[in-house]
Each structure stands twice: as C-alpha cells, then as structure tokens.
Amino acid sequence: MAETGKREVDFADRNETDAAKAKRLKNEANSDEENRDQSASANPLFGFKTTTVLRDSAREKNMFIHGKLNDQEAVIILEKTPIREDTLLEIFNGSRLKLDMRNDIYSTYQLQPPAHLNEIKTTVVCPATEKHVKKYLRQETYLVQESGEDYRSITLPYIQSQSFSVQWVYNILEKKAEAERIVYEDPDQDVGFVLLPDFKWDQKQLDDLHLIAIVHRRDIKSLRDLTALHLPLLTNIRKKGEESILKRYGVAVSKLRVYLHYQPSYYHFHIHFTALSYEAPGCGVEHAHLLSDVIQNLQADSQYYHSRSLSFPLRADQGLLSKFKDAGKL
Amino acid sequence: MAETGKREVDFADRNETDAAKAKRLKNEANSDEENRDQSASANPLFGFKTTTVLRDSAREKNMFIHGKLNDQEAVIILEKTPIREDTLLEIFNGSRLKLDMRNDIYSTYQLQPPAHLNEIKTTVVCPATEKHVKKYLRQETYLVQESGEDYRSITLPYIQSQSFSVQWVYNILEKKAEAERIVYEDPDQDVGFVLLPDFKWDQKQLDDLHLIAIVHRRDIKSLRDLTALHLPLLTNIRKKGEESILKRYGVAVSKLRVYLHYQPSYYHFHIHFTALSYEAPGCGVEHAHLLSDVIQNLQADSQYYHSRSLSFPLRADQGLLSKFKDAGKL
C-alpha cells in the first residue's frame, strides 16, 4: 500500500456519537470556509487570462495553462491532490453527494467534500519565457493506419529523405560510448546484440526497470523489414535477453514486458525490456508489439509485416503525419 | 489540444466588467453551496466504516476502500475528476489560495476552488462480495503465455467452473437499467450491439472518453471464440460505433483507440472505445487488442485466435494463475 501522510486530528471528546462527530466536523468545515481569508492570501490569480491550454491529462488530473497575469506571460500548472486515507472519515461523513446512476449493486455519485480536504496543487511560473511555454506544450496525437503499400509509397520515402542520425547507436555498438553500462553482449554480427539500461532508467529500483537490446546488424530499420529469416535473431534476443536480466536483476520472464515500437523512435532495430508493473510510456497497444507475438506471426507467415496494415500514433508536429494527410489518408 | 465538453454559461450582461463578473460568479458559487442540499440527496455514505484501503494511486488520484455501509460489505471507489478548460475562469477568479513557497519566478499554492468545480467521482459497490474485494486489492501481476491448447485444457474449464455473473450486462441489453445512457443501438441479434458510456467515465469532458459496445448475442465469451464468421459483427461494431461517436461527441476515428481485452474482465463480448490521448488503464499491449488488428487477423486466418498463443497479465489472487502454476506453465 502506498504510504499516505498522517495528519493530526484533535477529537474534543473521543466518546462522542457518530452523529455528534459529523455535526462537529461539519461546523469545523464551515468555520474553515469562513475563516479561509485569514489564512489564505488575497487571490493572486485574480484576472489571469488564459491564452491556451498547453496540455492536460485526464488520467493524472492536471492541466498546464499559458496565459497572462498582471500583464506578464505566465504558465500555471494545476494538479488535483491524491486522496489521503486519514481524511476518509471526514469525507464520508461531511460531504454532499448527488446520485448519477444506479444499476444492480453499483451506484455512482458526484461527491463534494469539505474544501480543505480537496485542494488543487497550483504552481505559477511568472514571468514565463517562450522556453517554458514550449517545454509544457503537448502536441495533438492522431492514429494512423498504414497499409503495406502506404509504407512503401509514403513512410519509406519519408524515412529515407530524412537524415535521422543513429551515430549514438553506433557509438554504443562500437564501444565508443556507454561501454561500462553494457549488461550483456552477443557479438555475433547476424544474430547478436548489446543489452544495456535505457538512459531514462536510473537503476535505483526495479519498479521501472527498462533495458534496450540493440542489434549489431545495421540493415533492419523497423518491424516492416522483418521476415522469417530474422527468426534466429529474434529468438536469440528473447532467450539471452531474458536470461541475462534474470541473472543480473533477479527479474523473471513472467515479470517482464518485451516489445518493440512501430513506428520506432530511431530506425536501427532494437527491443525494449520493461518491468511488467511499470506502465512505461509507449507500451500502449497502438504503439507496442510484443516480441512473442512478432515471432509467432513470422513463424506463420514470413510476409506478415510486409503486407498487413499497422496502426500507430503520430504527433501533429511530425513530418510523417503531413505526408499521410497530403496523401488523403487521414 | 484535447477537446473538452462545452458547458453553457448564461451571462446576465455580456458587457459586465471582469470585477463584476468575478463577484457574480462568486455569489453564484456561494448560492450553489447553500442550495446543495436541494439537489443533493441525503448523504448515503454517512456512517461508512473503513475496513481497509485496497489500493490507491497518487498518480491517478484515486482510492479503493473496503468497508461497511449500513451493516453491508461495500467497496467505495473515490477518484478526483479531471480539470476542465471551461471551468478555468471560475477557478482563477473564484478560488481561495494559500501560498506554499516562492522562489524566483516560481511559486506554489494550495488552491480551494468552488465546490461544484472540484467534485470527486464516487462509485459504490454494495453489497460487495469477496470477489469484489479481491478484484480491487492490488496484487502482484504476472505475464502468462496461453497456447491454444492451454486455453482449452486450463482456461476454458476454469471459466466454466466459475459463476461469473453478467446480470448487469443483461440488464443493459434488456433496458432494465441504464437505458437512458445508451448512445446507439443496433438491435440485430447477430451483428447488433448497444453502445453506452463506461460507468467509469463521468462524461463531463472528452479527454477521458470511454464507451463500451456490448453485443446482443450471448454466445461469445472472448477473443478465443472469434472466427471469420464473426467478421460481420466486428465490422458492424467498428463502423457504427465510430459513426455514432463522431455524431454524438465530434470525436473522429483518428482520435480513438478501439480495442478489446484478453482476458476480458467479464465473459460477454464487448469492445472499448477510448480517447487516443487518454492512457486508459488496460490499454497496454499485454492486455489490449486493437479491433482493426483482430479483423485483419481473422480475414487472413479464421482459426487465428483458436490456435495462436496469447499473452496476458494475471494477478496473484486470480484463480486462473494458480491453474497455470499447477500445470507447470509459469
């Protein structure tokens, strides 16, 4: 269980009845509201004018807003606060509820708790620069369906026209950089690879374990290039990758998610190993492909990834999205 | 930018000054609080006694609580609601703030908005069974690989031995419950379905849009039962589901994630429609299958889901995991 902060509560009389306690809590909350001005500063956000919402997350209940505060550029970050176990008694006894729906044993409500139990964490950056604004701006994402033919006529020419540098990948393979981070290597130039922690994993805990297997061969850009001829490579990565992670970190196969991205973030073939309990960005079904599924599909049909349609997300600022729009595919 | 639902606001005088508007909004909010009892039911959660917190997420701002309500076992799910763009003006002008910290251009506050803008979505399961309690208790998760043969020898007998009630599903299909929530229906008993918001979506914003298409026919438990004979059903759901979501909510296909779960959480066939930008729980690659992929696979091979191995996560307390362990599969 995640630990929640403890808050001291003075109970005037530990023998009070539940009804009396609820009444007392309600009075304290009302008094809390009336007295808010005494502890709260005058509203410093009064008159803030929203220019645009930079991003928001329904899952994380936050919002990043660019606007103007007292004629200065500002970014305001609002985030709902976690629910604390030590506030539950007050919430259940001191809130107002409105029924939304009832079906069999299930019912849903909108609940309004006492205000002091339901604050919004607010961060103000003011004056904010253009860098602040860009930092927080999320791009809209679109789901694109790419047929085998679309790949050859739209995506492949686009990839080839861009100079996507993978020099940093070659540096790793050639031991010019990050050599000390390598967990395992199979040096075979056909089926071999280098396994090392992803740079976003600080390795301080196993909860967010994340390693990458980068293949030695340089002729596979992505999933689209794979055929049954690559099965020895794929099964080698799976087998030796899983064995070395078990050996180094004690994490078993049943606790791992092993997958690749399409589109990948760089066009040198690599595979991700993440902790199953870690909802790593990019492990969503529209972006990730389990290695075990890829192997099965190629065993059944060598041309599987040559011919089928693949879905993947593209951000508004990605050039490839414009190509699909121009081709009337969106 | 993720689209947010529009809410109508009556402005008494479109020429009022900002100060006058803020004052009016504040009065409306106070009046809103005083009048809450008239629209809110008497507190149905009064006297709820917490037994234990089953799980909570600081990231998602939710909490699952097991306890007793009116002498009955109950599970209560509390979740903070997303922040809505159309409420920002009221939040900025009508809230109370307390300064936490100021450092250079950064300052942080605790903000108390008007209560009606900061509700907690509450779900009550009462009476709750031991199955409900177990379902929500956070458990360690393991990835299981189930061959076609494993499905027939382990999983199917297990499903058939359990009495997983789907009465609430039949209530919806027979219009005994939630009939007013139905967004679209195709009443055909072979290829038809009912489309309605998932009960976890409060429909106040489109950011976390989540609808379920529940098929009318009762002979499909899961992905494993699908063959090419079900293609008319699947393409009908896709086509009409996407059309009605576009019509009702203005959300286009390129902004949707349409998928099913394996294993599903209940064994009456249903499909999820979620906002692409919403990282819905259960949209991970090890649990979700895009409907477009399922259709393609069945078009190529009617027996695809009969014969292939499927991976899925199982929690430590799920009986099916024990079955796989006993069979030496883990």
Side-chain angles (χ1 to χ4, degrees), chain A residues 1-2 4 18-19 22 33 36-37 39-41 43-50 52-54 56 58-63 65 76 78-85 88 91-99 101 103-113 115-127 132 140-143 145 254-257 276 279 283-286 288-290 292-293 296-297 304 308-309 311 330, chain B residues 1 18 22 33 36-37 39-41 43-50 53-56 58-63 65 76 78-85 88 92-93 95-98 105-113 115-116 118-127 132 140-143 145 168 171-172 177-178 181 199 202 204 207-208 254-257 276 278-279 283-286 288 290 292-293 296-297 304 308-309 311:
Chain A
M1 189 68 51
T4 54
D18 282 337
E33 286 187 22
R36 260 185 301 186
D37 280 334
S39 57
S41 54
N43 182 353
L45 299 187
F46 185 89
F48 175 82
K49 295 227 181 327
T50 298
T52 187
V53 172
L54 299 170
D56 63 308
R59 181 175 186 184
E60 299 181 14
K61 286 82 182 176
N62 59 31
M63 187 173 277
I65 308 128
I76 295 183
L78 301 176
E79 187 166 10
K80 299 288 178 98
T81 44
I83 298 171
R84 291 165 35 199
E85 186 174 356
L88 288 180
I91 287 176
F92 289 132
N93 287 345
S95 297
R96 294 173 171 92
L97 282 89
K98 192 160 83 169
L99 178 70
M101 180 278 291
N103 179 353
D104 192 30
I105 59 172
Y106 303 94
S107 46
T108 63
Y109 302 84
Q110 294 298 332
L111 180 151
Q112 294 181 6
H116 65 286
L117 299 180
N118 195 23
E119 291 170 326
I120 295 181
K121 188 174 72 176
T122 304
T123 305
V124 179
V125 185
C126 183
H132 288 115
E140 272 219 80
T141 306
Y142 298 85
L143 195 67
Q145 190 139 354
S254 59
K255 307 294 285 170
L256 281 178
R257 184 190 296 103
L276 184 66
E279 290 177 24
C283 70
V285 65
E286 69 275 10
H289 296 256
L290 291 178
S292 54
D293 287 348
Q296 269 197 98
N297 287 329
Y304 190 93
R308 74 181 273 121
S309 288
S311 298
L330 212 69
Chain B
M1 192 60 50
D18 281 337
E33 286 188 22
R36 262 186 301 184
D37 280 336
S39 58
S41 54
N43 182 354
L45 298 186
F46 185 88
F48 174 83
K49 296 229 182 322
T50 297
V53 172
L54 300 170
R55 80 156 92 141
D56 63 309
R59 180 182 181 187
E60 298 181 13
K61 286 81 182 174
N62 60 31
M63 186 172 279
I65 308 127
I76 294 182
L78 301 176
E79 186 166 10
K80 300 286 178 97
T81 44
I83 298 172
R84 288 162 42 198
E85 186 175 355
L88 287 180
F92 289 133
N93 287 346
S95 296
R96 293 175 170 90
L97 281 89
K98 191 161 86 171
I105 60 173
Y106 302 97
S107 46
T108 64
Y109 301 85
Q110 293 299 329
L111 179 151
Q112 293 180 8
H116 66 287
N118 195 23
E119 292 168 326
I120 294 181
K121 191 172 66 178
T122 304
T123 304
V124 180
V125 185
C126 185
H132 289 112
E140 272 219 77
T141 306
Y142 299 85
L143 196 66
Q145 190 140 352
W168 67 274
N171 287 347
I172 291 172
E178 299 189 57
R181 288 161 47 79
F199 76 90
D202 68 12
K204 295 198 170 177
D207 302 66
D208 57 341
S254 59
K255 307 293 286 171
L256 280 179
R257 186 190 295 104
L276 184 66
Y278 173 43
E279 289 177 25
C283 70
V285 64
E286 69 276 10
L290 292 178
S292 54
D293 287 349
Q296 270 198 96
N297 287 329
Y304 189 92
R308 75 181 273 120
S309 287
S311 299

Side-chain angles (χ1 to χ4, degrees), chain A residues 173-279:
Chain A
L173 297 174
E174 295 166 16
K175 317 299 189 309
K176 289 175 180 171
E178 300 190 55
E180 71 290 352
R181 288 161 45 79
I182 291 173
V183 167
Y184 173 82
E185 183 180 10
D186 179 338
D188 187 288
Q189 292 300 302
D190 281 331
V191 302
F193 62 98
V194 160
L195 180 71
L196 75 171
D198 184 271
F199 75 90
K200 292 185 292 300
W201 179 38
D202 67 11
Q203 302 178 70
K204 292 191 176 178
Q205 59 290 312
L206 297 178
D207 300 68
D208 57 341
L209 177 145
H210 189 171
L211 294 100
I212 306 279
I214 304 176
V215 301
H216 271 297
R217 57 193 297 173
R218 304 188 183 190
D219 62 339
I220 306 172
K221 289 179 295 303
S222 76
L223 186 61
R224 282 290 190 192
D225 289 333
L226 295 179
T227 69
L229 293 175
H230 299 105
L231 282 167
L233 167 70
L234 299 176
T235 51
N236 190 45
I237 292 171
R238 177 168 67 178
K239 183 173 187 298
K240 292 189 179 151
E242 290 172 353
E243 278 169 4
S244 47
I245 286 173
L246 177 62
K247 188 171 164 188
R248 172 71 72 103
Y249 303 105
V251 177
V253 160
S254 59
K255 307 294 285 170
L256 281 178
R257 184 190 296 103
V258 187
Y259 62 96
L260 50 99
H261 283 140
Y262 190 73
Q263 303 279 338
S265 44
Y266 50 96
Y267 292 91
H268 178 106
F269 190 66
H270 58 283
I271 287 176
H272 298 261
F273 291 75
T274 60
L276 184 66
S277 56
Y278 172 43
E279 290 177 24

Side-chain angles (χ1 to χ4, degrees), chain B residues 8 50 54 92 99 104 108 145 182 200 214 228 233 303:
Chain B
E8 289 188 14
T50 297
L54 300 170
F92 289 133
L99 178 70
D104 189 34
T108 64
Q145 190 140 352
I182 292 173
K200 294 186 291 300
I214 304 176
L233 167 69
Q303 294 300 301

Side-chain angles (χ1 to χ4, degrees), chain B residues 70-320:
Chain B
N70 305 324
D71 289 326
Q72 289 189 304
E73 297 294 319
V75 171
I76 294 182
I77 305 164
L78 301 176
E79 186 166 10
K80 300 286 178 97
T81 44
I83 298 172
R84 288 162 42 198
E85 186 175 355
D86 58 318
T87 63
L88 287 180
L89 181 65
E90 280 193 72
I91 287 176
F92 289 133
N93 287 346
S95 296
R96 293 175 170 90
L97 281 89
K98 191 161 86 171
L99 178 70
D100 268 349
M101 178 280 292
R102 197 194 305 280
N103 180 350
D104 189 34
I105 60 173
Y106 302 97
S107 46
T108 64
Y109 301 85
Q110 293 299 329
L111 179 151
Q112 293 180 8
H116 66 287
L117 298 181
N118 195 23
E119 292 168 326
I120 294 181
K121 191 172 66 178
T122 304
T123 304
V124 180
V125 185
C126 185
T129 66
E130 204 181 329
K131 272 191 182 153
H132 289 112
V133 175
K134 276 189 174 171
K135 172 181 173 175
Y136 294 118
L137 180 63
R138 190 189 321 274
Q139 295 278 335
E140 272 219 77
T141 306
Y142 299 85
L143 196 66
V144 164
Q145 190 140 352
E146 174 199 85
S147 68
E149 195 41 49
D150 290 337
Y151 172 69
R152 285 176 279 287
S153 63
I154 304 174
T155 306
L156 185 54
Y158 177 76
I159 293 168
Q160 288 166 337
S161 72
Q162 300 295 304
S163 52
F164 289 129
S165 168
V166 284
Q167 187 55 49
W168 67 274
V169 173
Y170 300 151
N171 287 347
I172 291 172
L173 296 175
E174 296 167 16
K175 317 301 188 309
K176 288 176 180 169
E178 299 189 57
E180 70 291 351
R181 288 161 47 79
I182 292 173
V183 168
Y184 173 83
E185 182 179 11
D186 179 339
D188 187 289
Q189 291 300 304
D190 282 331
V191 302
F193 61 98
V194 161
L195 181 72
L196 76 170
D198 184 273
F199 76 90
K200 294 186 291 300
W201 178 39
D202 68 12
Q203 304 178 69
K204 295 198 170 177
Q205 59 288 313
L206 297 177
D207 302 66
D208 57 341
L209 176 145
H210 190 171
L211 293 101
I212 307 281
I214 304 176
V215 301
H216 271 296
R217 56 192 297 174
R218 302 188 183 191
D219 63 339
I220 307 173
K221 290 179 296 303
S222 76
L223 186 62
R224 283 289 190 194
D225 289 333
L226 295 179
T227 69
L229 293 175
H230 300 106
L231 282 168
L233 167 69
L234 299 177
T235 51
N236 190 44
I237 293 171
R238 177 169 66 179
K239 182 175 188 298
K240 291 188 180 152
E242 290 172 353
E243 280 170 4
S244 45
I245 287 173
L246 178 62
K247 188 172 164 186
R248 171 74 70 106
Y249 303 105
V251 177
V253 160
S254 59
K255 307 293 286 171
L256 280 179
R257 186 190 295 104
V258 187
Y259 61 97
L260 51 100
H261 283 141
Y262 191 73
Q263 304 279 338
S265 46
Y266 50 96
Y267 291 92
H268 178 105
F269 191 66
H270 58 282
I271 288 176
H272 298 261
F273 292 74
T274 61
L276 184 66
S277 55
Y278 173 43
E279 289 177 25
C283 70
V285 64
E286 69 276 10
H287 203 180
H289 296 255
L290 292 178
L291 178 57
S292 54
D293 287 349
V294 172
I295 289 171
Q296 270 198 96
N297 287 329
L298 291 172
Q299 285 170 334
D301 176 6
S302 183
Q303 294 300 301
Y304 189 92
Y305 293 104
H306 178 89
S307 51
R308 75 181 273 120
S309 287
L310 294 172
S311 299
F312 52 87
L314 283 177
R315 291 190 319 272
D317 64 325
Q318 284 181 281
L320 186 56

